[in-house]
Amino acid sequence: MNSQSVTITTAQVLELYATGRRDFSHLDFHEAWMPGLELPGINLSQTNLVSVNLDRAKLSEAKLSGCNLWRANLRGANLEKADLARTVLIRADLSHINLTGADLRCSDLRLATLHQSTLCSADLRNANLSYTDLRGADLRGADLRGADLTGANLRGAVVAAAQLERARLDRAWIDEADPQPPELSSTH
């Protein structure tokens, strides 16, 4: 995180956003309380969002690359087609979130909660999803090539047409009713 981060209030962001400003990168919003915030297309790249509450926020097509969202609450948020590449989402609550078509390449989602989340066609290449809760998640068409899913809970997850080449699935919890596809058996 940039040591010269600037702190700004949510009210100031809303006022500036209403005037057409979209670039709020490199700011400090740690522990901010912003549930239900509606800021589609906002640029929050390289922003400190540690422990922020963005419950049910509408941030479709937002730019959040390089953000620190450690322990953030994004439960039920809409981040469809958002750019979250190289973002820290360790221990974040992302349950019931919409990440359809989102870019999460090289992001760190260790120990995150993503149960009942929609990740259709999301780009999760080389993401760290170790020990992540993906119970009931919809991963149809997601690109998980090279992702680390060590110890991840994938019970009830839909993985149809997901790309899993070179994905690590050591100790992953997978439904017994859905046997591991043959192409996964030798991709460690």
Side-chain angles (χ1 to χ4, degrees), residues 125-126 144-148 164-168 183 187-188:
R125 285 177 291 163
N126 301 308
L144 290 150
R145 290 177 290 173
D148 185 355
L164 290 155
E165 295 84 12
R166 298 179 320 281
R168 292 196 55 147
E183 66 270 15
T187 58
H188 296 289

Side-chain angles (χ1 to χ4, degrees), residues 8-182:
I8 186 171
T9 67
T10 304
Q12 290 170 315
V13 170
L14 293 172
E15 183 179 312
L16 291 166
Y17 186 89
T19 66
R21 180 173 171 182
R22 296 296 179 264
D23 188 357
F24 296 91
S25 57
H26 301 281
L27 298 178
D28 187 351
F29 290 107
H30 77 281
E31 297 181 358
W33 187 263
M34 302 184 278
L37 197 66
E38 293 187 34
L39 301 172
I42 193 168
N43 181 359
L44 293 168
S45 299
Q46 301 293 318
T47 299
N48 181 7
L49 295 163
V50 170
S51 297
V52 70
N53 184 342
L54 286 164
D55 183 75
R56 298 175 324 281
K58 293 174 179 58
L59 302 170
S60 60
E61 299 185 20
K63 292 171 182 57
L64 294 153
S65 60
C67 279
N68 188 350
L69 284 150
W70 181 73
R71 287 192 178 241
N73 176 4
L74 287 146
R75 184 178 180 87
N78 181 6
L79 277 89
E80 185 172 356
K81 297 181 183 173
D83 179 0
L84 291 139
R86 291 172 291 289
T87 297
V88 174
L89 290 152
I90 299 170
R91 292 190 180 270
D93 184 353
L94 307 169
S95 49
H96 302 279
I97 194 169
N98 180 4
L99 288 164
T100 301
D103 182 355
L104 289 144
R105 286 173 296 138
C106 302
S107 289
D108 192 343
L109 294 113
R110 285 176 290 159
L111 301 164
T113 301
L114 284 140
H115 71 272
Q116 300 297 320
S117 296
T118 304
L119 294 129
C120 296
S121 302
D123 189 346
L124 291 150
R125 285 177 291 163
N126 301 308
N128 188 345
L129 293 150
S130 56
Y131 300 97
T132 298
D133 181 357
L134 288 156
R135 286 174 296 144
D138 188 348
L139 293 155
R140 283 179 290 177
D143 190 346
L144 290 150
R145 290 177 290 173
D148 185 355
L149 290 149
T150 301
N153 188 344
L154 291 156
R155 290 182 177 145
V158 179
V159 294
Q163 297 176 49
L164 290 155
E165 295 84 12
R166 298 179 320 281
R168 292 196 55 147
L169 291 159
D170 301 333
R171 296 181 303 282
W173 298 9
I174 301 169
D175 286 332
E176 290 180 28
D178 291 332
Q180 196 173 25

